[in-house]
Amino acid sequence: MNEREKILCPVCQVSFILKEPKEAGRAIVCPVCGAVLVMVQEGTVWSLTRPAHLSLEEEIHQRVDNFARLRGYHFNEMKEAVVKGLLSKNQRFGDFYCPCRIDNIPENICPCLFTRQGDVEKNGKCHCGLYWK
Amino acid sequence: MKKVMLYALSTCPFCAMAKKYFTSLQIPFDVVDVDLLKDDEKEVIINEVQRISGRRAFPVIVIENDVIVGYDELRVKEAMEK
């Protein structure tokens, strides 16, 4: 992979240009969704994986905090209740699917596609009330 | 008293707030946690929710003929007082 090559985020499924030096095991933050990811090398191929060194609680807290920071969004007193809903979804369905949407599909993994595509800008908050403008 | 129907998910904090709101004000309401239904029943209710709200997101609150998507206390009050 050359320096300008894109790398795929396994959480939001968006490819982005990796700015950090390539180093197996290095933790980075997806600039699109805020997910904490770890660099993996297999032969000459580099990829990103979910962080095994974090607990689920740490992973989702870091992700939502990073996403809010990247977008300039805020939280309110509902944050922990929504995070609890996300953890409950993970426990039942295997990923951090939106706790307020019925469909447990990749587009609804927090931060969901609606949120990444501007719901907070349009409505002042995401549907769940986790991220606020 | 107006007929109130609350479509909810067991994982959704604003659904919990809506339940708490109606309970605390002693407003009679019907509620269904859609994600806890059996598959065939779930599909029927999801289709119903999508038909009335245009979305597959919760909560959806139906007060007589008013459909409120999301928990908006002001809109709930307005619908109750109509």
Side-chain angles (χ1 to χ4, degrees), chain B residues 1-75:
Chain B
M1 188 63 80
K2 294 198 171 184
K3 186 173 161 50
V4 178
M5 179 69 208
L6 169 59
Y7 296 97
L9 294 183
S10 66
T11 51
C12 155
F14 280 100
C15 299
M17 280 181 76
K19 289 175 196 171
K20 201 170 164 185
Y21 174 82
F22 291 121
T23 305
S24 66
L25 293 180
Q26 296 182 312
I27 297 169
F29 68 106
D30 291 318
V31 59
V32 57
D33 281 322
V34 180
D35 56 324
L36 301 181
L37 296 172
K38 287 180 185 164
D39 283 350
D40 48 349
E41 203 180 354
K42 191 190 296 181
E43 263 325 295
V44 172
I45 300 292
I46 291 170
N47 289 338
E48 172 74 6
V49 169
Q50 191 160 11
R51 186 182 63 76
I52 59 177
S53 73
R55 300 175 74 169
R56 295 166 70 89
F58 295 80
V60 172
I61 303 167
V62 183
I63 302 172
E64 296 289 353
N65 295 321
D66 288 308
V67 178
I68 301 164
V69 182
Y71 177 61
D72 184 333
E73 218 171 279
L74 188 64
R75 286 194 61 202

